[in-house]
Amino acid sequence: MKAILLSNINMQPLVRALRPWDISVGTYNSLLADLSTAGSPAAAAEVTHVFCLYDSDTLMGDAFYGDGPPERCDMFLQALDGFCARHTDKVVVANLFSFSSNRWLGFADVLHADSLRGRQADLNAKLVAIGKSHPNLLLLDLDPLMRRHGEDALISNAFWYTARIRYSARMFELLAQTIRQAINAHAQRCKKVLILDLDDTLWGGIVGEAGPLGVALSEDGTGLCYRDFQRCIKAATRTGILLAIASKNNEADAMEVFAENKMMVLRREDFAALAINWRPKVENIVEIANELNLGTDSFVFIDDNPVERDAVRKALPDVAVPDFPARPEELATWFTQKIVPEYFGKYAISDEDAAKTEQYRANRARQQLAASFDLDAYLGELGIECSISVNKDDRLTRAAQMTQKTNQFNLTTRRYEVTDLARFVRSHEHAVLMLDYKDRFGDEGAVALAIVDLAEGRIDTFLESCRVIGRRVEDRLLDKAIELCRGHGHQRIIGEYIPTRKNQMVAQFYDSHGFVTLSKHEDGRITYEKAIDDRRPEAG
Amino acid sequence: MTDDQKQDKIQTTVRFIASTLDIPEDELGPDSSMDNTPAWDSSEHMNICLLFEQKFGVPMNMDIIISATSIRALAALIP
């Protein structure tokens, strides 16, 4: 990563707060020029991230005091829009407009035509419209930070008038943390599964002692703390987080709470996997990983019991195990403000994310069907329908997400960000192929991805979601890749297998699809080729 | 304040400045200041003041930021 920090104020202390990142600083107070000039340091090819963190009050100039229109804000929006369009290979991080509470209109700031409140909303509406048209623009809302910690603690008049530094040391720390989390969210680097304990975690008390209606779960007092915690978790499932339970309990006791307690927000069907028994939680977590076909490095484990947390941390260091709040009244805030941004941050939420739990549930139904049919009959029974899209801009976020998250059925495990894929599509030398899948149990959305280098006739990336492994949909994607290469005049297609700790399952993929080994490299990488000229049409 | 207390505050300030500037403690002494410490430039001085305010709970004002440019001056601010 090579970043540059642009601003209209002195943001130098942020460089320290973001160490060890490699960050240079743009010319002081030349935000607009740095964004607009072709030869500016921000435009340099080696820059991967541009932090455009401006001070809204300052950008308004005299308009902040009601004197004239906010012309420079509009110029900034135009410059930002142009920069993002010219540099689709760079991630641009910009804050939303956020005015300080120094409002010259006072109480009149609500109704007056020049109210800063209104100006802020108008400018942000324009900024959000720009954000929607550029997948490489990451917009940050800093208002929640100000609301949580307070302007008095985060803004410093002494440093402002001495050195044009707006913020206190605390704000620089918080800003650095927010930027790190947001960049991870934008790059789709997040966990997938939240594993929850039950007693004194999802509800207050112990169900084995208090009974299904005796646990603390209600619309007031302690019970409300747990009910609101469940509401926050339920909301998280709408962004694609999968839930699982690892609880030491009699399964029947726990199920009674789901069946009988009307104050439960989470339902049995909200969970993709259940492990409710008296075995060690470490074993249960490993079993959940097998059942969901996911690595434990995509798990976050939440349990009120420090002994259980410690055991999981020691035995499964890949699993993220955050500390648990000391008081139930902190649960909802803790989960929303700490756990979600730290482990489950997402910048764009796709339709697939929203339907994730449903997809895993449908998968269980398919597994039951699979148990009673031979493979061909089973596949016929499923009623599979696939469609393949090529170079669709609006699918690139999901495509990048798939390259970041797929470990097992992934021939090369090359991780791409949306900006990389945008560059591929723009170059016309690559094709990004996405395969959408549905069958009679449900619509899985995008489940397989191929990136083909059309100039070289080479499959750069070929991966498939574990959810559809064994349904032969990868054959259809490979056929399409071959068809495109043939269309570009290639008489052979190149494939690669790069071994990792996790992709052993596809080590024989090209061998079993009629490719021959071209070369074996010292690092374990194998290159394959296959003739694809028209006289020998490929059946797949 | 006793001499020992003064000495402690100077040592604390030396440690703080060394870690902020990323330089060894033995490159600093009670008489170190912006004038005789190359790494302590005007930009680093702002980092020093920001972090000093946070670490020691000393509210900064313009006069302090401009004048507290030595180990002794900063040590005297520690409550």
Side-chain angles (χ1 to χ4, degrees):
Chain A
M1 160 178 215
K2 169 96 186 97
I4 186 163
L5 171 59
L6 309 181
S7 187
N8 56 348
I9 58 171
N10 185 348
M11 291 289 281
Q12 188 78 40
L14 185 63
V15 174
R16 182 190 174 84
L18 279 171
R19 288 195 305 194
W21 284 359
D22 178 7
I23 304 174
S24 56
V25 180
T27 323
Y28 174 69
N29 204 13
S30 47
L31 174 66
L32 293 184
D34 280 346
L35 285 174
S36 317
T37 316
S40 88
E46 67 271 18
V47 170
T48 58
H49 290 72
V50 179
F51 301 149
C52 191
L53 303 170
Y54 56 93
D55 180 60
S56 305
D57 295 11
T58 305
L59 198 57
M60 281 284 278
D62 289 336
F64 187 74
Y65 301 97
D67 192 0
E71 283 164 349
R72 273 199 300 161
C73 294
D74 287 319
M75 284 160 66
F76 162 72
L77 289 172
Q78 221 176 346
L80 183 70
D81 190 20
F83 187 88
C84 291
R86 285 192 304 280
H87 300 282
T88 51
D89 55 339
K90 301 187 197 306
V91 175
V92 181
V93 181
N95 52 296
L96 290 181
F97 284 87
S98 172
F99 295 126
S100 71
S101 54
N102 297 344
R103 307 285 162 102
W104 66 281
L105 278 164
F107 292 116
D109 198 56
V110 177
L111 299 179
H112 196 277
D114 289 334
S115 94
L116 286 167
R117 190 188 162 83
R119 285 253 191 266
Q120 181 172 309
D122 292 346
L123 288 164
N124 279 334
K126 290 180 194 170
L127 189 47
V128 167
I130 292 170
K132 283 184 178 165
S133 64
H134 299 295
N136 59 325
L137 176 56
L138 165 54
L139 292 173
L140 283 184
D141 185 1
L142 299 180
D143 272 356
L145 282 185
M146 286 292 168
R147 226 171 286 138
R148 231 160 85 201
H149 302 271
E151 226 173 68
D152 288 349
L154 300 187
I155 286 185
S156 166
N157 290 326
F159 287 98
W160 175 245
Y161 288 106
T162 312
R164 284 291 179 263
I165 293 171
R166 181 65 89 184
Y167 301 126
S168 67
R170 179 74 183 127
M171 178 58 172
F172 284 113
E173 273 174 10
L174 292 166
L175 196 51
Q177 182 192 39
T178 304
I179 290 169
R180 283 201 180 94
Q181 290 172 338
I183 285 179
N184 279 337
H186 187 255
Q188 321 262 1
R189 288 187 285 264
C190 62
K191 305 284 185 186
K192 298 175 189 170
V193 184
L194 177 61
I195 303 186
L196 294 151
D197 174 42
L198 294 176
D199 290 335
D200 281 325
T201 299
L202 276 196
W203 53 68
I206 296 168
V207 61
E209 293 170 4
L213 303 180
V215 294
L217 209 49
S218 58
E219 272 301 340
D220 49 35
T222 307
L224 181 58
C225 300
Y226 291 99
R227 193 160 148 81
D228 277 348
F229 182 40
Q230 289 200 16
R231 286 181 167 117
C232 295
I233 295 170
K234 176 98 175 179
T237 65
R238 296 182 189 112
T239 71
I241 301 178
L242 291 174
L243 303 181
I245 295 174
S247 164
K248 284 184 179 163
N249 251 313
N250 292 327
E251 185 169 7
D253 290 347
M255 285 301 116
E256 270 180 15
V257 186
F258 283 97
E260 294 172 24
N261 195 319
K262 298 278 182 288
M263 287 289 130
M264 280 292 285
V265 176
L266 293 166
R267 316 301 310 170
R268 164 68 189 79
E269 55 269 24
D270 291 321
F271 294 87
L274 301 182
I276 305 171
N277 52 50
W278 296 98
R279 289 164 47 206
K281 294 207 177 185
V282 169
E283 282 179 28
N284 281 326
I285 291 172
V286 170
E287 201 151 285
I288 290 169
N290 291 334
E291 186 180 338
L292 298 177
N293 225 340
L294 292 168
T296 50
D297 58 350
S298 61
F299 287 6
V300 177
F301 174 63
I302 287 184
D303 195 311
D304 67 298
N305 185 336
V307 177
E308 298 288 4
R309 294 200 301 268
D310 192 50
V312 173
R313 274 189 199 120
K314 286 194 173 120
L316 300 170
D318 279 355
V319 177
V321 186
D323 285 334
F324 193 80
R327 300 286 316 160
E329 53 269 38
E330 301 305 325
L331 279 169
T333 300
W334 167 75
F335 184 74
T336 313
Q337 298 191 359
K338 293 226 167 82
I339 301 303
V340 172
E342 184 63 28
Y343 301 109
F344 298 108
K346 291 197 172 165
Y347 183 65
I349 291 162
S350 63
D351 294 344
E352 280 89 356
D353 287 327
K356 184 105 335 150
T357 308
E358 176 53 42
Q359 289 171 351
Y360 274 81
R361 199 164 44 245
N363 221 10
R364 274 205 297 274
R366 289 184 196 99
Q367 280 164 4
Q368 283 161 8
L369 180 65
S372 57
F373 283 88
D374 71 52
L375 184 63
D376 288 330
Y378 161 67
L379 292 176
E381 190 80 6
L382 280 177
I384 294 171
E385 287 176 43
C386 295
S387 61
I388 297 174
S389 67
V390 182
N391 287 352
K392 287 276 170 16
D393 280 336
D394 58 346
R395 307 298 304 278
L396 296 185
T397 301
R398 171 67 183 147
Q401 188 179 50
M402 291 169 81
T403 71
Q404 293 288 343
K405 290 184 164 186
T406 310
N407 296 319
Q408 291 167 306
F409 194 123
N410 192 338
L411 273 300
T412 55
T413 321
R414 295 192 171 109
R415 310 293 193 195
Y416 290 117
E417 297 191 10
V418 70
T419 46
D420 301 316
L421 300 183
R423 198 172 57 235
F424 284 163
V425 168
R426 208 175 23 142
S427 76
H428 300 296
E429 288 187 352
H430 285 76
V432 178
L433 280 60
M434 287 186 82
L435 183 142
D436 289 280
Y437 173 101
K438 65 180 171 187
D439 64 23
R440 72 181 173 90
F441 289 104
D443 188 344
E444 294 275 353
V447 295
L449 170 79
I451 301 172
V452 183
D453 185 330
L454 296 170
E456 295 179 14
R458 181 180 59 85
I459 302 172
D460 174 274
T461 293
F462 196 91
L463 61 85
E464 180 175 288
S465 161
C466 292
R467 303 196 305 272
V468 297
I469 283 171
R471 290 182 226 161
R472 297 181 183 160
V473 298
E474 61 276 13
D475 295 1
R476 305 181 195 211
L477 189 62
L478 186 59
D479 286 350
K480 184 72 181 175
I482 290 170
E483 180 192 318
L484 285 175
C485 285
R486 197 182 281 137
H488 273 71
H490 293 288
Q491 297 191 337
R492 59 173 201 166
I493 186 165
I494 307 288
E496 280 167 283
Y497 170 65
I498 303 176
T500 67
R501 228 156 37 90
K502 297 186 175 172
N503 71 351
Q504 188 59 35
M505 69 182 301
V506 288
Q508 305 298 318
F509 177 78
Y510 283 125
D511 301 280
S512 63
H513 284 78
F515 284 66
V516 295
T517 305
L518 200 56
S519 52
K520 288 188 178 177
H521 305 262
E522 268 182 20
D523 55 6
R525 187 164 57 93
I526 304 176
T527 316
Y528 295 87
E529 70 168 348
K530 178 174 187 164
I532 56 167
D533 62 48
D534 285 334
R535 285 160 297 169
R536 288 160 56 193
E538 176 48 49
Chain B
M1 199 187 324
T2 66
D3 281 353
D4 279 356
Q5 284 170 323
K6 267 190 193 161
Q7 205 50 43
D8 281 353
K9 287 181 181 177
I10 286 191
Q11 260 322 302
T12 303
T13 308
V14 164
R15 275 197 299 276
F16 165 76
I17 299 286
S19 91
T20 306
L21 295 178
D22 277 331
I23 58 174
E25 280 177 36
D26 57 16
E27 285 186 22
L28 294 168
D31 296 319
S32 298
S33 70
M34 259 181 97
D35 294 333
N36 58 22
T37 311
W40 192 339
D41 61 16
S42 57
S43 170
E44 285 297 342
H45 183 61
M46 288 304 144
N47 278 327
I48 286 169
C49 291
L50 280 163
L51 296 169
F52 188 89
E53 179 179 66
Q54 184 182 40
K55 186 173 170 76
F56 299 104
V58 177
M60 288 284 157
N61 62 43
M62 288 177 77
D63 294 341
I64 295 176
I65 296 170
I66 292 165
S67 62
T69 56
S70 65
I71 297 278
R72 285 192 197 284
L74 285 165
L77 295 168
I78 297 178

